[in-house]
Amino acid sequence: MSDQLVDAPKSRKGLLAVVIVIVLALLAGGYFLFLRGSGDAIKIGVVGASDPYWKTFEEAAADDGIEVEIVDFSDYTQLNAALSNGELDLNQFQHLVFLADYNVSNDDNLTPIGATAIYPLALYSKQYTSAEDIPDGSRVIVPDDTSNQARGLKILQDAGLIELTDGGTIFSGISDVDTANSRVEVITAGADFTASSLDDVAAAIVNNDFVEDAGLDFDAALATDDPSDPVAAPYVNVFVARDEDKDNEDYLKLVEIYQDTKAVTDGVLEVSGGTAVLLTTPVDELAKLLSDTEKVVEENK
């Protein structure tokens, strides 16, 4: 038997024929998908990369020829800057209110390219089983970032723990708490620290990302907002890209994979304790919601 698998071509036509055979063999072997994803991986910044559905998402993307690298962050405030300066290609951790506040505050134009879900924000306690049981004068923590702080304060007001002088808006702050007519003292902490502070306070607003990691039970929430309420629309979580990348076909395909892969969406629901409201809001609607919310931010700066 000859040591050569393919005889050396004796003409340019022969060489061309060999090349064609090799290419066809690669395609038949599934290498086309490899070639499509053989460049740098698309880096997506998230909070909670250990959630099992992200591994499922990576695998689903790979099946479609797109290599994805999930990059974990613990601090919400870092992800948009990392995207803006090119450390990330996309991020997926925030709702439109958070994004609007970032864009206005930083003169940036990061843009949503796809919806994922609305997650409820809730009040938890290790000492009490209802908001009514929390003693007057107790301390309660809310997240210190602008958008989640406002949302948390509205939950406390609806639970009868505080009153807000502005009635409660998407940009209410600690200064809007009517202390004379509130039952509790409100203090702030980073969103990643509110749950870990529960041993030292009566209750805390805990973002969905940190509930399970803190050993809390979603069903044990003392109070929560309603993610299915139309008023909650600006709180839809989104995939976000730099404005110049909003039409990138691979990025848009990743959104489609996330939304259409049942194993992924089932994983999202499981991690949220069944509380997430999955959404596929059209991108033009997301852009309109963001623009309207940015106008509100600008008016309140």
Side-chain angles (χ1 to χ4, degrees):
M1 180 182 292
S2 171
D3 290 335
Q4 289 182 299
L5 294 178
V6 180
D7 288 339
K10 297 178 176 59
S11 68
R12 290 185 178 180
K13 288 184 179 180
L15 176 60
L16 178 60
V18 171
V19 170
I20 292 173
V21 169
I22 292 173
V23 169
L24 290 175
L26 290 175
L27 289 175
Y31 281 86
F32 176 73
L33 291 180
F34 170 77
L35 290 172
R36 180 182 170 189
S38 62
D40 292 338
I42 295 173
K43 294 183 178 181
I44 305 177
V46 306
V47 174
S50 61
D51 291 337
Y53 69 83
W54 282 122
K55 182 64 175 177
T56 305
F57 174 70
E58 284 183 326
E59 293 170 351
D63 288 343
D64 217 303
I66 305 175
E67 185 181 358
V68 169
E69 178 185 348
I70 301 299
V71 183
D72 194 32
F73 288 76
S74 61
D75 185 348
Y76 288 157
T77 63
Q78 297 176 354
L79 282 99
N80 282 330
L83 175 59
S84 189
N85 66 29
E87 294 176 38
L88 300 172
D89 300 302
L90 299 170
N91 67 40
Q92 201 290 97
F93 76 101
Q94 66 192 315
H95 47 60
L96 291 174
V97 180
F98 191 99
L99 177 59
D101 185 63
Y102 170 82
N103 275 348
V104 171
S105 299
N106 295 276
D107 193 25
D108 210 336
N109 61 346
L110 300 182
T111 187
I113 63 167
T116 59
I118 293 181
Y119 298 89
L121 191 63
L123 178 70
Y124 293 89
S125 175
K126 288 187 175 181
Q127 303 176 55
Y128 308 102
T129 58
S130 72
E132 292 80 7
D133 292 339
I134 296 175
D136 291 357
S138 299
R139 294 188 304 163
V140 174
I141 296 182
V142 297
D144 61 5
D145 60 274
T146 302
S147 58
N148 286 310
Q149 181 174 135
R151 196 177 176 193
L153 290 172
K154 183 67 165 57
I155 292 170
L156 297 185
Q157 177 172 260
D158 291 344
L161 294 172
I162 65 170
E163 285 191 21
L164 295 166
T165 57
D166 64 356
T169 73
I170 60 173
F171 292 106
S172 297
I174 290 295
S175 62
D176 296 307
V177 176
D178 183 347
T179 55
N181 291 299
S182 295
R183 288 184 48 218
V184 299
E185 176 189 356
V186 182
I187 59 177
T188 65
D192 50 334
F193 288 109
T194 62
S196 60
S197 302
L198 276 171
D199 290 332
D200 303 314
V201 296
I205 295 290
V206 180
N207 291 58
N208 196 279
D209 288 321
F210 305 114
V211 172
E212 279 197 325
D213 289 344
L216 300 171
D217 185 343
F218 287 101
D219 293 334
L222 277 58
T224 182
D225 57 6
D226 181 4
S228 63
D229 189 327
V231 175
Y235 291 108
V236 58
N237 278 45
V238 287
F239 277 94
V240 176
R242 291 179 291 276
D243 187 65
E244 62 267 26
D245 294 330
K246 63 185 177 184
D247 297 319
N248 181 293
E249 291 184 4
D250 280 346
Y251 295 177
L252 295 175
K253 182 62 178 178
L254 287 174
V255 173
E256 182 181 324
I257 291 169
Y258 185 101
Q259 294 175 343
D260 294 347
T261 304
K262 189 174 186 298
V264 173
T265 55
D266 284 351
V268 172
L269 288 172
E270 182 177 355
V271 167
S272 75
T275 63
V277 176
L278 301 173
L279 294 172
T280 57
T281 310
V283 175
D284 57 346
E285 291 185 27
L286 296 175
K288 177 66 163 56
L289 278 168
L290 177 62
S291 176
D292 290 346
T293 307
E294 286 176 343
K295 290 175 183 176
V296 176
V297 176
E298 289 170 347
E299 292 170 358
N300 284 270
K301 286 294 183 182

